[in-house]
Amino acid sequence: IRIPGSDLSLKFGGYVKLDFIQDFDAIGNIYQFKTNTIPARPASGNTEGGQTTLHARETRFLLDLRSGADAKHKFRAYVEGDFYGDGNSFRIRHAYGEFGNLLAGQTWSTFQDISARPRTIDYEGPDGEVFIRQAMVRWTQPLSKSWKFAIAAEEPGSQFAVPAGLSGIPRNNMPDIPAFLRFDRPRGHFQVAGILRQIRFDGTGASSDAATRGRGLNSTFRMNTAGKNAVMGMFAFGNGVGRYIESMSGENVDAVVRGTTLKALPMRTFLAAYEHHWTPRLQSNFAAATARVSLDASQAPGTIRITRDIRGNAIWAMYKMVDLGAELMYGRRQNLDGSFGTALRLQVAVIFKFN
């Protein structure tokens, strides 16, 4: 919608999505296929059963305000949310502004590459990928027609467990600093991103303070093969970057406190995906992902160590504004003590698009 008397245009968008989920095994998160919520099998061999879930939490709304293509300086203000908040409440996914090369607000981390991610019916997506939205200030600098560079200061957040006998909390006093270098061509792109971060333990009482550095690299690509078909990939590794890996975020595996020192834990993750268009209206996506963290022997036996998931789907654009899709997912979680659990899920969705 063009705003009279200005060079600005306003766009309303989003979709309504109904998900039907059939779990054949127990999993902690009934709305998203989070492999870190798969319970380990008990020694008795008895396991919980699956369940059926229907929900519309992924229903999404967005507002996008932009300057015209002929504007002297690019301007954009973007807000997007869904209903994954507590009790189906509305929550903010993205909220940021852009002016020229400057971006400020909440959106995808500079350390990740959302354009190398396959389309999935499951909201979570491939669980071993670098995937996070957070607050930031970012500068993006085009270097040539094909190359660009970006650097940002982003929201920090150390995640590690405080051992029994110590008192204190994880804390940061500097932002995470990610950056990427990207090469774009008509048939695809390649991107390398790096990150530096502080991981800090602030002790109280007789417990000493400790700090270490986290660092990581994330290489990604997407390349068209024949027609609209495409292959995608991601390989990331580093120390102390657990919170940036989807299946490891919230699992307290950035680092481990050992006496008076803090050790950043090594981690690596891999994603491979393929997108195939059978017809102009029918596509399938196949993906496999794994993430592994090298734990310390002092950590709890049930600490997560490896996650794996594979998935395949079919998505039919049955009408210009209506999509119907189905996805089959398999996931596995393994812990430090060797215990593990698996889960199988079928998800079917109907999507009514606003635009």
Side-chain angles (χ1 to χ4, degrees), residues 106-255:
Q106 175 176 297
T107 189
W108 306 116
S109 172
T110 310
F111 188 52
Q112 78 176 73
D113 180 3
I114 192 65
S115 57
R117 189 180 203 246
R119 184 181 179 186
T120 62
I121 299 299
D122 167 48
Y123 181 86
E124 178 79 355
D127 214 25
E129 65 182 332
V130 174
F131 187 87
I132 188 171
R133 293 182 303 272
Q134 58 191 13
M136 69 186 69
V137 177
R138 179 165 68 205
W139 182 270
T140 303
Q141 181 64 51
L143 303 176
S144 69
K145 185 178 180 180
S146 299
W147 291 90
K148 66 179 176 182
F149 170 80
I151 188 168
E154 298 189 4
E155 177 185 0
S158 298
Q159 296 182 356
F160 55 87
V162 178
L166 294 180
S167 59
I169 57 172
R171 180 173 289 175
N172 301 85
N173 58 15
M174 63 175 291
D176 290 356
I177 307 295
F180 71 69
L181 181 66
R182 182 181 177 102
F183 177 71
D184 279 294
R185 297 295 291 173
R187 293 190 61 82
H189 77 275
F190 174 76
Q191 179 174 304
V192 177
I195 190 167
L196 292 174
R197 56 192 308 253
Q198 180 200 64
I199 304 172
R200 181 179 174 86
F201 171 66
D202 273 8
T204 58
S207 300
S208 302
D209 295 346
T212 187
R213 297 290 184 185
R215 56 182 64 85
L217 286 174
N218 181 24
S219 58
T220 55
F221 75 92
R222 178 187 173 97
M223 185 64 62
N224 292 343
T225 54
K228 293 183 178 180
N229 302 335
V231 292
M232 290 149 276
M234 182 208 74
F235 176 67
F237 64 93
N239 296 341
V241 293
R243 69 178 289 261
Y244 283 86
I245 310 301
E246 195 161 22
S247 61
M248 299 295 175
S249 180
E251 296 297 316
N252 290 326
V253 291
D254 277 351

